[in-house]
Amino acid sequence: MSLTELRTSKLWTWRTLLRDHTRFLSILPNYLAAYIVPTYSLTPTTIESVMVTMNTVNTCPYCTGLHGQLARMAGVERPNPSDPEVVYATSFAQESGRGSDVSASYDTLIANIGMKRAQSVRALCWALLWGKTTGNTINNCRDKLVKFQWTQLRTVDLFVMAYYGPLFLVIGVLNKLLTVMPSIPKAVSAAVGAVLWLPQALNIIPLGVASIVLNFGVV
């Protein structure tokens, strides 16, 4: 199978949905650690720089709203393209986390910031890939329903809309609320990240476990 076929595209297919959810399940501990675990945790500036960078490819409006506001609140105007975390996130976004270029970039990241924090950065990238692909699939389904293009709907579109739609509706409301929030201290930013991790994890875990069974653990 070619690298192009391995890449996760803008919208979920059944193959990529099941395959990637085994990976998303596995990175949940490091995703949380990026916010609150000493030696693994990253600064809010770094976290949001990674998230904003990841969203530059196959941009998702939910992720733009959420991480655009969280980046503003963390004092990030524009990610520094020379930061090692941003360099890795750029490579990850372009290749959907797979391939030799991403592996080489990850080795460089480890050399620059150490294994533990590199694992946190990689987990953040996988988390944003989950978020933007899910958000784009939900919007694609919504648009086809509204435009009565029902014959163009795929079963995976309807499944993702039904399963993740309520969570992303809450994210959409949260995005509006965050627009009036001021800048916040680092500790508060970390707490916000940990709180936001919980509903994501509660949704990912059941589908991740099902994916392991249905996809034989292939990631």
Side-chain angles (χ1 to χ4, degrees), residues 24 27-36 40-55 63 67 85 88-89 92 106 109 113 117-132 193-194 197 200:
F24 300 146
I27 61 90
L28 283 175
N30 283 110
Y31 180 22
L32 179 60
Y35 292 96
I36 62 172
Y40 286 87
S41 61
L42 306 167
T43 67
T45 299
T46 297
I47 290 172
E48 296 310 325
S49 292
V50 168
M51 296 305 213
V52 169
T53 299
M54 274 293 300
N55 197 41
C63 300
H67 291 289
E85 299 90 348
Y88 174 72
F92 191 109
Y106 186 63
L109 180 66
I113 67 172
R117 288 194 166 88
Q119 289 174 343
S120 295
V121 173
R122 183 170 60 180
L124 291 172
C125 290
W126 280 113
L128 205 286
L129 180 67
W130 163 81
K132 67 181 182 180
W197 173 89
Q200 295 175 65

Side-chain angles (χ1 to χ4, degrees), residues 184-201:
I184 55 178
K186 291 181 179 179
V188 176
S189 183
V192 169
V195 169
L196 292 175
W197 173 89
L198 181 59
Q200 295 175 65

Side-chain angles (χ1 to χ4, degrees), residues 40-152:
Y40 286 87
S41 61
L42 306 167
T43 67
T45 299
T46 297
I47 290 172
E48 296 310 325
S49 292
V50 168
M51 296 305 213
V52 169
T53 299
M54 274 293 300
N55 197 41
T56 58
V57 177
N58 292 333
T59 301
C60 161
Y62 296 98
C63 300
T64 298
L66 179 61
H67 291 289
Q69 291 304 320
L70 291 175
R72 174 188 61 78
M73 292 160 62
V76 178
E77 293 185 6
R78 187 178 294 108
N80 184 345
S82 64
D83 286 347
E85 299 90 348
V86 173
V87 171
Y88 174 72
T90 301
S91 175
F92 191 109
Q94 292 170 345
E95 304 296 334
S96 295
R98 290 181 164 82
S100 58
D101 289 346
V102 179
S103 296
S105 182
Y106 186 63
D107 290 340
T108 302
L109 180 66
I110 293 172
N112 279 295
I113 67 172
M115 174 66 78
K116 292 180 178 180
R117 288 194 166 88
Q119 289 174 343
S120 295
V121 173
R122 183 170 60 180
L124 291 172
C125 290
W126 280 113
L128 205 286
L129 180 67
W130 163 81
K132 67 181 182 180
T133 312
T134 302
N136 286 330
T137 303
I138 288 172
N139 281 354
N140 177 66
C141 183
R142 179 203 63 198
D143 291 346
K144 285 182 168 54
L145 287 171
V146 170
K147 296 175 182 177
F148 297 100
Q149 297 172 340
W150 297 347
T151 59
Q152 299 179 29

